[in-house]
PDB file of all heavy atoms in Angstrom:
ATOM      1  N   TYR A  65       8.727  27.106  46.928  1.00  0.00           N
ATOM      2  CA  TYR A  65       8.084  28.140  46.179  1.00  0.00           C
ATOM      3  C   TYR A  65       8.930  29.119  45.658  1.00  0.00           C
ATOM      4  O   TYR A  65       8.724  29.805  44.673  1.00  0.00           O
ATOM      5  CB  TYR A  65       7.013  28.838  47.113  1.00  0.00           C
ATOM      6  CG  TYR A  65       5.767  28.054  47.251  1.00  0.00           C
ATOM      7  CD1 TYR A  65       5.594  26.735  46.854  1.00  0.00           C
ATOM      8  CD2 TYR A  65       4.670  28.726  47.837  1.00  0.00           C
ATOM      9  CE1 TYR A  65       4.414  26.094  46.971  1.00  0.00           C
ATOM     10  CE2 TYR A  65       3.421  28.008  48.003  1.00  0.00           C
ATOM     11  CZ  TYR A  65       3.362  26.695  47.627  1.00  0.00           C
ATOM     12  OH  TYR A  65       2.141  25.968  47.668  1.00  0.00           O
ATOM     13  N   GLN A  66      10.174  29.332  46.246  1.00  0.00           N
ATOM     14  CA  GLN A  66      11.095  30.345  45.741  1.00  0.00           C
ATOM     15  C   GLN A  66      11.454  30.205  44.250  1.00  0.00           C
ATOM     16  O   GLN A  66      11.627  31.128  43.537  1.00  0.00           O
ATOM     17  CB  GLN A  66      12.419  30.374  46.650  1.00  0.00           C
ATOM     18  CG  GLN A  66      13.377  31.490  46.261  1.00  0.00           C
ATOM     19  CD  GLN A  66      14.490  31.561  47.240  1.00  0.00           C
ATOM     20  OE1 GLN A  66      14.501  30.901  48.255  1.00  0.00           O
ATOM     21  NE2 GLN A  66      15.539  32.364  46.813  1.00  0.00           N
ATOM     22  N   HIS A  68       9.738  27.673  42.249  1.00  0.00           N
ATOM     23  CA  HIS A  68       8.700  26.911  41.530  1.00  0.00           C
ATOM     24  C   HIS A  68       7.288  27.347  41.815  1.00  0.00           C
ATOM     25  O   HIS A  68       6.379  26.551  42.351  1.00  0.00           O
ATOM     26  CB  HIS A  68       8.777  25.352  41.928  1.00  0.00           C
ATOM     27  CG  HIS A  68      10.136  24.700  41.501  1.00  0.00           C
ATOM     28  ND1 HIS A  68      10.419  24.430  40.250  1.00  0.00           N
ATOM     29  CD2 HIS A  68      11.143  24.385  42.290  1.00  0.00           C
ATOM     30  CE1 HIS A  68      11.541  23.824  40.197  1.00  0.00           C
ATOM     31  NE2 HIS A  68      12.085  23.756  41.500  1.00  0.00           N
ATOM     32  N   SER A  69       7.068  28.648  41.699  1.00  0.00           N
ATOM     33  CA  SER A  69       5.729  29.211  41.987  1.00  0.00           C
ATOM     34  C   SER A  69       5.404  30.340  41.058  1.00  0.00           C
ATOM     35  O   SER A  69       6.274  31.086  40.665  1.00  0.00           O
ATOM     36  CB  SER A  69       5.704  29.709  43.489  1.00  0.00           C
ATOM     37  OG  SER A  69       6.422  30.873  43.634  1.00  0.00           O
ATOM     38  N   ALA A  70       4.088  30.469  40.828  1.00  0.00           N
ATOM     39  CA  ALA A  70       3.636  31.615  40.054  1.00  0.00           C
ATOM     40  C   ALA A  70       3.879  32.994  40.644  1.00  0.00           C
ATOM     41  O   ALA A  70       4.233  33.963  40.008  1.00  0.00           O
ATOM     42  CB  ALA A  70       2.139  31.451  39.649  1.00  0.00           C
ATOM     43  N   GLN A  71       3.716  32.970  41.990  1.00  0.00           N
ATOM     44  CA  GLN A  71       3.885  34.253  42.776  1.00  0.00           C
ATOM     45  C   GLN A  71       5.283  34.754  42.622  1.00  0.00           C
ATOM     46  O   GLN A  71       5.538  35.986  42.495  1.00  0.00           O
ATOM     47  CB  GLN A  71       3.483  34.015  44.197  1.00  0.00           C
ATOM     48  CG  GLN A  71       3.492  35.349  44.977  1.00  0.00           C
ATOM     49  CD  GLN A  71       3.034  35.201  46.394  1.00  0.00           C
ATOM     50  OE1 GLN A  71       2.559  34.033  46.785  1.00  0.00           O
ATOM     51  NE2 GLN A  71       3.005  36.240  47.213  1.00  0.00           N
ATOM     52  N   SER A  72       6.273  33.877  42.669  1.00  0.00           N
ATOM     53  CA  SER A  72       7.659  34.265  42.623  1.00  0.00           C
ATOM     54  C   SER A  72       8.165  34.646  41.251  1.00  0.00           C
ATOM     55  O   SER A  72       9.138  35.171  40.930  1.00  0.00           O
ATOM     56  CB  SER A  72       8.597  33.139  43.222  1.00  0.00           C
ATOM     57  OG  SER A  72       8.581  32.050  42.292  1.00  0.00           O
ATOM     58  N   GLY A  73       7.247  34.173  40.296  1.00  0.00           N
ATOM     59  CA  GLY A  73       7.591  34.394  38.879  1.00  0.00           C
ATOM     60  C   GLY A  73       8.776  33.392  38.357  1.00  0.00           C
ATOM     61  O   GLY A  73       9.287  33.585  37.326  1.00  0.00           O
ATOM     62  N   GLU A  74       9.019  32.347  39.126  1.00  0.00           N
ATOM     63  CA  GLU A  74       9.932  31.398  38.792  1.00  0.00           C
ATOM     64  C   GLU A  74       9.382  30.004  38.518  1.00  0.00           C
ATOM     65  O   GLU A  74       8.495  29.583  39.334  1.00  0.00           O
ATOM     66  CB  GLU A  74      11.092  31.301  39.848  1.00  0.00           C
ATOM     67  CG  GLU A  74      11.855  32.572  40.021  1.00  0.00           C
ATOM     68  CD  GLU A  74      12.687  32.876  38.909  1.00  0.00           C
ATOM     69  OE1 GLU A  74      13.117  31.976  38.121  1.00  0.00           O
ATOM     70  OE2 GLU A  74      13.110  34.079  38.675  1.00  0.00           O
ATOM     71  N   LEU A  80       5.775  24.062  38.350  1.00  0.00           N
ATOM     72  CA  LEU A  80       5.141  25.005  39.447  1.00  0.00           C
ATOM     73  C   LEU A  80       4.575  24.185  40.471  1.00  0.00           C
ATOM     74  O   LEU A  80       3.813  23.191  40.120  1.00  0.00           O
ATOM     75  CB  LEU A  80       4.003  25.845  38.749  1.00  0.00           C
ATOM     76  CG  LEU A  80       4.540  26.953  37.757  1.00  0.00           C
ATOM     77  CD1 LEU A  80       3.231  27.518  37.116  1.00  0.00           C
ATOM     78  CD2 LEU A  80       5.331  27.978  38.492  1.00  0.00           C
ATOM     79  N   ASP A  82       2.981  25.527  43.382  1.00  0.00           N
ATOM     80  CA  ASP A  82       2.100  26.301  44.197  1.00  0.00           C
ATOM     81  C   ASP A  82       0.597  26.108  43.991  1.00  0.00           C
ATOM     82  O   ASP A  82      -0.255  26.916  44.325  1.00  0.00           O
ATOM     83  CB  ASP A  82       2.421  27.816  44.155  1.00  0.00           C
ATOM     84  CG  ASP A  82       2.420  28.363  42.787  1.00  0.00           C
ATOM     85  OD1 ASP A  82       2.400  27.568  41.786  1.00  0.00           O
ATOM     86  OD2 ASP A  82       2.416  29.565  42.661  1.00  0.00           O
TER      87      ASP A  82
END
Side-chain angles (χ1 to χ4, degrees):
Y65 281 12
Q66 183 174 351
H68 300 284
S69 68
Q71 184 175 1
S72 69
E74 296 291 337
L80 292 175
D82 58 342

